[in-house]
Amino acid sequence: MTDDDRIEGIRHLFTADTDHEPGEDNVERLGFDVHPYVFFISGFVIVAFVLLSVLFTEQADAAYEWAFESINHYFNWFYVIAANLIVAAVVYFALSRFGDIRIGGVDAEKEFSDISWLAMLFSAGMGIGLMFFSVAEPLWHFDDPLFGVESQSEAAAQMAMVVTYFHWGFHPWAIYGLVGLSLAFFMYNKGLPLTFRSVFWPVLGERIYGWPGHLIDVLTVFATLFGITTSLGLGAQQINAGLSFLGEEVLGTTIPVATPIQLVIITVITTITVVSVLVGLEKGMRRLSNLNIALILVMMALVLLIGPALFVVSLFPQALGSYLGQFFELSAFTNSFGNVPYEGWQGSWTIFYWGWWIAWSPFVGMFIARISRGRTVREFVFGVLFVPALFSFTWMATLGGTALHFELFTESTIVETVTTQGEEVAMFELFTMLPLTLVLSVLAVVLVTTFFVTSADSGSMVLGHLSSGGKHDSPRNQRVSWAIAEGAIASVLLLGGGLTALQTASITAGLPFALVLLFMAVSLKQGLEEEYQVLNSEEFDRLIEELEESGEIEVDRAGGTVVTELEPIGDREDDVQPGTD
């Protein structure tokens, strides 16, 4: 038996025992390759939702408001508990004996260097949300702080940064980390399809290919679609605000901030996305993603250099320390005593965010899973949990901190403008107080637009995977249909109630999917437990001993016991070979 045969035998020990293939029951017609249940059930409900919302706008608006209030009243405790359990779960996976398990198996090689991997996590941590809320959220909490803090005081400014860090810190990245780790493990280690039903293999077994699996994927489609459309709706509002500002400053004309303009923006961006899908601009989209990283770093550096740099640099560690000090109090806050000043606060902020992160998690999680082959569970968790969160903290301290500096130490103020005109104008109002106003404003509009396009394009790809039974390549027609659906639903939500409708979509889609994530954590634990048992089995030990005796393979063990890596002797390097990035 050759070394290759032994390694193949090792892989066979870990692979899921099933004869099913991804997309084996698919329907292939008119350029589509779809799972008959997932695609058509999802499509029917989505079309019905759009039609009913368009035909009965007033009733839809009332329904969004009712759903928003009901979920916040009856289920806020569930969101709080679920988010905290997810944080605890991913930390447990990293610190437990499972932390040494390698994604892709003991012979898996890293596809990307450590620096490139961290850079892509850094990229995934940015998006429309960071642009939309980086100035607006700290100012809202500065004006309306928690826990009896005096409004618009220095204590309110610190509390504003703490709450903003809380919403953009470890909780969202724990949610993304759980989804990414689960998808990566069951795809790379178990050889299962790239779809959410695969994550439940330890619990459901072959039933993932039946109705339980269909239901899981349908819920995932809804969560992903509404998570993406929430971001697109917010992006359209901010682009509209930016164009309005630039119209007055540059062209001397008035571009109103209004729903019809935002619908036109969504239509234009959706058209660009459809064209990019049709012509296959994969390389172009990668370049656009890299451009996003460069532009947002340029913007942050500019604001830091021409703004109150010393204040921002001092604020960052102070706000971070306060956030860590109040982490558990904020994580468990539900306003259970019905304190009137805080009534509605949690629903508009924490519950909205938790629902949004949960609904957005299939999209981000699948991206993270795709780039993480060859990492250990511990390395994966620490990288996903800390690196993007650190960037979010830095970005919020720079933009939000600059805005708070003007409120506290100058005569300039934008709080009233933000609270009366909306969050979408906050960043552009801040830029009027800084040098290079037009440069920063144009940069912001370009960034939101490119984030818009890349999110819509990538989102259609993820929805294509989900609706094709987990195939790695879905037809272009299929991706086009999802890109159009994203734009249509974002438009419908804006017509049916603006920001409230977008928030309602997130928390409504996130509610059932939060249950999916909790069961996902249980299923992942069982999968890791099975993997660990195989790593300690007699058959595995025998194959490893034969490999070691051959003298061609180097075996690494965690703590001298569990095998974590196999490498041909002489091929070990600290990084991957050039060109693999």
Side-chain angles (χ1 to χ4, degrees):
M1 180 183 293
T2 66
D3 286 350
D4 288 342
D5 292 333
R6 294 186 182 95
I7 291 175
E8 189 60 36
I10 288 173
R11 291 174 183 163
H12 183 71
L13 291 176
F14 296 96
T15 304
D17 185 16
T18 179
D19 294 327
H20 290 280
E21 294 290 335
E24 61 186 3
D25 297 322
N26 282 9
V27 175
E28 298 184 36
R29 291 179 185 173
L30 303 176
F32 286 74
D33 184 2
V34 299
H35 190 284
Y37 297 110
V38 175
F39 182 82
F40 290 114
I41 292 175
S42 302
F44 174 79
V45 176
I46 290 167
V47 170
F49 170 82
V50 171
L51 290 177
L52 290 174
S53 297
V54 170
L55 295 175
F56 304 99
T57 305
E58 292 184 5
Q59 293 88 335
D61 191 8
Y64 295 149
E65 187 173 351
W66 172 83
F68 184 76
E69 293 176 353
S70 298
I71 291 174
N72 280 303
H73 181 70
Y74 293 108
F75 295 103
N76 67 323
W77 60 271
F78 173 71
Y79 269 113
V80 168
I81 292 174
N84 289 330
L85 287 175
I86 290 170
V87 173
V90 296
V91 172
Y92 164 74
F93 292 140
L95 298 181
S96 69
R97 64 186 186 278
F98 304 136
D100 296 318
I101 292 175
R102 187 169 299 279
I103 297 170
V106 291
D107 65 318
E109 297 181 359
K110 295 177 182 179
E111 186 176 358
F112 301 98
S113 69
D114 293 343
I115 293 175
S116 295
W117 182 67
L118 291 173
M120 284 186 283
L121 292 179
F122 174 79
S123 164
M126 296 180 291
I128 292 171
L130 284 175
M131 297 291 293
F132 192 88
F133 287 107
S134 57
V135 177
E137 181 169 359
L139 290 178
W140 268 102
H141 301 321
F142 174 68
D143 185 58
D144 186 22
L146 279 177
F147 306 138
V149 175
E150 181 184 354
S151 176
Q152 299 192 19
S153 63
E154 291 183 12
Q158 176 153 317
M159 178 59 70
M161 291 307 302
V162 168
V163 174
T164 303
Y165 275 20
F166 170 60
H167 289 148
W168 292 86
F170 298 131
H171 281 81
W173 285 101
I175 292 169
Y176 298 155
L178 174 64
V179 174
L181 180 60
S182 300
L183 286 171
F185 176 77
F186 286 100
M187 176 175 62
Y188 289 129
N189 293 59
K190 297 299 182 184
L192 292 167
L194 183 57
T195 181
F196 270 68
R197 67 178 70 209
S198 299
V199 174
F200 296 88
W201 173 263
V203 177
L204 298 175
E206 292 286 345
R207 286 180 293 171
I208 66 168
Y209 297 100
W211 275 106
H214 303 337
L215 180 60
I216 290 168
D217 280 351
V218 167
L219 286 175
T220 306
V221 168
F222 289 146
T224 304
L225 188 61
F226 284 108
I228 292 171
T229 54
T230 297
S231 292
L232 300 188
L234 295 177
Q237 290 180 332
Q238 194 167 31
I239 291 173
N240 189 182
L243 292 176
S244 178
F245 174 80
L246 292 173
E248 294 179 3
E249 294 291 326
V250 179
L251 303 176
T253 185
T254 301
I255 300 175
V257 178
T259 300
I261 301 297
Q262 293 158 19
L263 297 181
V264 172
I265 291 170
I266 290 175
T267 302
V268 172
I269 299 296
T270 301
T271 302
I272 296 172
T273 304
V274 168
V275 171
S276 74
V277 171
L278 287 174
V279 301
L281 294 178
E282 286 82 3
K283 289 184 178 179
M285 297 308 296
R286 282 200 297 272
R287 293 192 184 103
L288 197 58
S289 297
N290 292 335
L291 177 64
N292 286 343
I293 297 173
L295 290 180
I296 204 166
L297 289 175
V298 168
M299 176 182 283
M300 186 165 63
L302 282 176
V303 172
L304 188 62
L305 290 173
I306 65 180
L310 181 60
F311 175 77
V312 170
V313 172
S314 301
L315 175 66
F316 175 80
Q318 181 172 325
L320 182 58
S322 297
Y323 161 61
L324 296 175
Q326 298 182 64
F327 179 82
F328 292 103
E329 180 181 11
L330 287 170
S331 298
F333 178 71
T334 59
N335 195 29
S336 57
F337 296 109
N339 196 324
V340 175
Y342 308 145
E343 187 175 355
W345 179 91
Q346 190 177 40
S348 297
W349 291 104
T350 305
I351 303 306
F352 160 62
Y353 275 129
W354 284 189
W356 190 14
W357 304 144
I358 290 170
W360 189 249
S361 63
F363 170 56
V364 179
M366 194 168 287
F367 168 76
I368 295 173
R370 169 63 185 83
I371 66 173
S372 297
R373 181 183 176 91
R375 309 279 160 185
T376 65
V377 170
R378 185 172 295 112
E379 183 181 4
F380 176 96
V381 170
F382 286 150
V384 171
L385 200 56
F386 292 109
V387 174
L390 183 62
F391 175 79
S392 295
F393 296 152
T394 306
W395 174 259
M396 292 297 185
T398 302
L399 275 295
T402 299
L404 290 173
H405 180 272
F406 281 109
E407 298 293 336
L408 289 170
F409 305 113
T410 74
E411 297 298 321
S412 301
T413 179
I414 56 176
V415 165
E416 185 177 350
T417 302
V418 172
T419 55
T420 56
Q421 295 186 26
E423 292 90 338
E424 61 270 19
V425 304
M427 181 175 287
F428 299 101
E429 287 294 317
L430 172 64
F431 291 160
T432 63
M433 301 178 184
L434 294 169
L436 303 177
T437 299
L438 289 180
V439 172
L440 290 170
S441 299
V442 170
L443 193 57
V445 171
V446 171
L447 264 171
V448 176
T449 303
T450 54
F451 279 136
F452 202 144
V453 173
T454 52
S455 294
D457 190 289
S458 302
S460 67
M461 179 185 66
V462 170
L463 289 165
H465 289 316
L466 294 171
S467 60
S468 64
K471 283 190 171 182
H472 286 256
D473 296 311
S474 56
R476 288 179 182 175
N477 286 0
Q478 209 155 311
R479 291 178 57 190
V480 166
S481 69
W482 286 120
I484 294 172
E486 291 162 7
I489 291 182
S491 301
V492 165
L493 291 173
L494 285 176
L495 280 172
L499 182 59
T500 299
L502 295 171
Q503 291 175 324
T504 302
S506 284
I507 65 172
T508 303
L511 184 62
F513 202 67
L515 284 171
V516 173
L517 294 192
L518 292 178
F519 281 109
M520 180 183 293
V522 175
S523 184
L524 178 59
K525 182 181 181 301
Q526 291 188 23
L528 292 171
E529 187 72 57
E530 292 173 3
E531 185 99 350
Y532 194 82
Q533 290 175 1
V534 174
L535 287 170
N536 287 277
S537 67
E538 293 183 2
E539 185 174 359
F540 178 76
D541 285 342
R542 178 180 58 79
L543 290 170
I544 291 297
E545 287 177 5
E546 292 177 1
L547 283 173
E548 286 186 295
E549 289 173 359
S550 72
E552 300 294 329
I553 299 294
E554 184 175 354
V555 179
D556 280 355
R557 289 180 170 83
T561 55
V562 177
V563 174
T564 58
E565 188 173 8
L566 302 179
E567 270 194 294
I569 290 178
D571 286 354
R572 176 176 298 280
E573 292 189 14
D574 293 331
D575 216 337
V576 295
Q577 294 294 328
T580 57
D581 291 349

